[in-house]
Amino acid sequence: LAKTTQPISMDSYEGQEVNITCSHNNIATNDYITWYQQFPSQGPRFIIQGYKTKVTNEVASLFIPADRKSSTLSLPRVSLSDTAVYYCLVGGPRMDSSYKLIFGSGTRLLVRP
Amino acid sequence: DTEVTQTPKHLVMGMTNKKSLKCEQHMGHRAMYWYKQKAKKPPELMFVYSYEKLSINESVPSRFSPECPNSSLLNLHLHALQPEDSALYLCASSQPTGVEMYGYTFGSGTRLTVV
C-alpha cells in the first residue's frame, strides 16, 4: 500500500485559501487519492477524491500532477469551522469489491479569526 | 438513507465483561469495516468484510471478534479487554467497486472505555 506523508500541522486565517500537500511516491496504477476531514470524537467525513488532473466539488479542489506522486487539497476561503484534521488516503479497489484504505498521520489545520 | 449508524455512542466496560458494538447501514453497501482510533492518532484498520465474508484481519487480538450477520449489519464482540483498548471504534461501509471508486462512509463511532 502506498504510504502518505503530510505536514503535521498548518495555521491559517479566516477567508484565506489553504493548500495541503500530500506525498505518495509509490502510488499504484489503480490507486485513487481520497481526502477526509475529521472533527474531534467524530467519524471522518469524505471531502473529495481523484485519480489524475484536477477535481472540484462544492467544498474543495484536488490537484494531482501527471506523475501522481503527490496531490494538493485546496480549501477556498476557510472559516473557523474548517479547523479539523485532514487525512490523505491512497488506495484502490480489491478483488473482492472492498477497499483497503490506510490513514496517514493527517494534517491538523487551525483556522484563526 | 445515507448514514452509517453505530451503537452505543459510549460504552464503559470492565476487563472481565463481554460487550458488543453494533454498526448498521441501509445504503446497499456490500463492504463494511472496523477501525480503531486512539486519541490524537489516525484511525487504524482492524477488519474488512466483503459480501458478509471476512476479507482482512489486520492481526487483531482474538479478544476482538467481528461478525457480519447480513449485508446491513456489522458487530464487534468484545471480551476480556485491556485498558489500552480504550479508543474510538469507527465503522465504515463502501459500495461495490466499479469503474469509479467512491471511498468510505463512516459512522460517528463508539467511544469505548475499559476500566
Side-chain angles (χ1 to χ4, degrees):
Chain A
L1 277 179
K3 180 182 175 181
T4 61
T5 303
Q6 308 172 230
I8 293 175
S9 63
M10 294 181 69
D11 278 19
S12 183
Y13 291 92
E14 279 191 295
Q16 288 191 333
E17 178 183 74
V18 170
N19 295 309
I20 306 175
T21 296
C22 179
S23 172
H24 28 80
N25 289 319
N26 58 339
I27 188 169
T29 303
N30 67 340
D31 282 347
Y32 285 73
I33 300 151
T34 312
W35 286 80
Y36 283 84
Q37 174 193 56
Q38 188 178 27
F39 299 111
S41 296
Q42 292 187 25
R45 184 177 73 98
F46 175 90
I47 302 174
I48 198 166
Q49 182 181 85
Y51 184 80
K52 61 181 178 182
T53 63
K54 178 183 174 182
V55 180
T56 298
N57 62 22
E58 62 274 10
V59 298
S61 294
L62 179 59
F63 299 91
I64 305 168
D67 67 5
R68 304 200 328 122
K69 292 183 184 300
S70 67
S71 58
T72 299
L73 174 71
S74 181
L75 305 172
R77 297 179 299 282
V78 294
S79 63
L80 297 177
S81 62
D82 293 318
T83 293
V85 179
Y86 292 82
Y87 292 102
C88 163
L89 288 76
V90 172
R94 301 173 67 240
M95 291 292 289
D96 66 358
S97 293
S98 68
Y99 305 101
K100 183 175 180 178
L101 297 183
I102 304 299
F103 284 77
S105 54
T107 298
R108 292 185 178 274
L109 173 65
L110 174 61
V111 179
R112 301 177 188 274
Chain B
D1 190 349
T2 58
E3 284 188 341
V4 173
T5 303
Q6 289 189 244
T7 54
K9 295 209 179 299
H10 301 275
L11 178 63
V12 179
M13 61 184 290
M15 290 188 284
T16 58
N17 290 163
K18 285 185 181 182
K19 297 286 184 183
S20 296
L21 310 185
K22 179 180 172 182
C23 174
E24 199 163 6
Q25 58 86 16
H26 297 286
M27 295 178 281
H29 291 179
R30 300 310 301 269
M32 297 184 76
Y33 311 79
W34 282 114
Y35 280 80
K36 171 183 177 180
Q37 186 174 27
K38 303 279 279 183
K40 297 192 185 301
K41 297 290 187 182
E44 298 175 18
L45 182 63
M46 300 175 72
F47 301 105
V48 178
Y49 272 84
S50 181
Y51 291 90
E52 295 98 69
K53 288 185 169 49
L54 183 63
S55 174
I56 297 177
N57 176 343
E58 291 285 86
S59 302
V60 179
S62 59
R63 59 185 183 269
F64 296 91
S65 175
E67 178 196 21
C68 190
N70 59 59
S71 60
S72 301
L73 190 56
L74 184 67
N75 297 319
L76 186 63
H77 303 298
L78 314 172
H79 174 55
L81 294 193
Q82 303 297 311
E84 58 265 29
D85 295 321
S86 298
L88 181 68
Y89 287 84
L90 294 162
C91 174
S93 67
S94 64
Q95 60 185 330
T97 57
V99 175
E100 293 286 332
M101 172 180 164
Y102 298 99
Y104 298 165
T105 301
F106 279 91
S108 30
T110 294
R111 173 70 62 190
L112 174 68
T113 304
V114 182
V115 297

